[in-house]
Amino acid sequence: MPGTTEMMVILLIAVLLFGANKIPKLARSTGEAMGEFQKGRTEVEQELEEMKEGGSDTATEETADTTTETSTTEETSSESSKSSN
């Protein structure tokens, strides 16, 4: 963590580079950018969580659908072989 002297030097350099009028605008735009970044990160984390939760539900549903289709196919095959005899 920089001390008081280092912070004063950094502030002085910032004033010389950007001018006293532009520093509040620069700070505001930096804050807005950080807010947007945090918002985007939160949205991505939520989407990943939803995909993780939805992925396990989808896998279970697909397994159930496959089981139902297999049972239906077996029943149809049994009925076809009975009617052939």
Side-chain angles (χ1 to χ4, degrees):
M1 194 75 170
T4 307
T5 307
E6 289 88 2
M7 291 300 289
M8 294 298 285
V9 170
I10 291 171
L11 184 59
L12 178 64
I13 292 172
V15 169
L16 292 174
L17 288 176
F18 300 109
N21 294 336
K22 291 190 178 183
I23 290 178
K25 292 177 185 177
L26 181 63
R28 189 177 304 116
S29 65
T30 302
E32 289 174 358
M34 288 176 62
E36 287 294 321
F37 177 77
Q38 298 251 342
K39 181 180 173 184
R41 188 186 74 185
T42 303
E43 289 175 0
V44 169
E45 288 175 349
Q46 287 175 348
E47 288 179 18
L48 289 174
E49 188 65 32
E50 288 173 4
M51 289 175 66
K52 187 185 293 185
E53 291 173 0
S56 61
D57 292 343
T58 304
T60 304
E61 290 174 6
E62 289 176 1
T63 304
D65 289 344
T66 304
T67 305
T68 304
E69 289 176 11
T70 304
S71 299
T72 306
T73 305
E74 289 174 356
E75 290 173 4
T76 306
S77 297
S78 297
E79 291 174 6
S80 297
S81 60
K82 287 180 183 177
S83 54
S84 298
N85 291 333

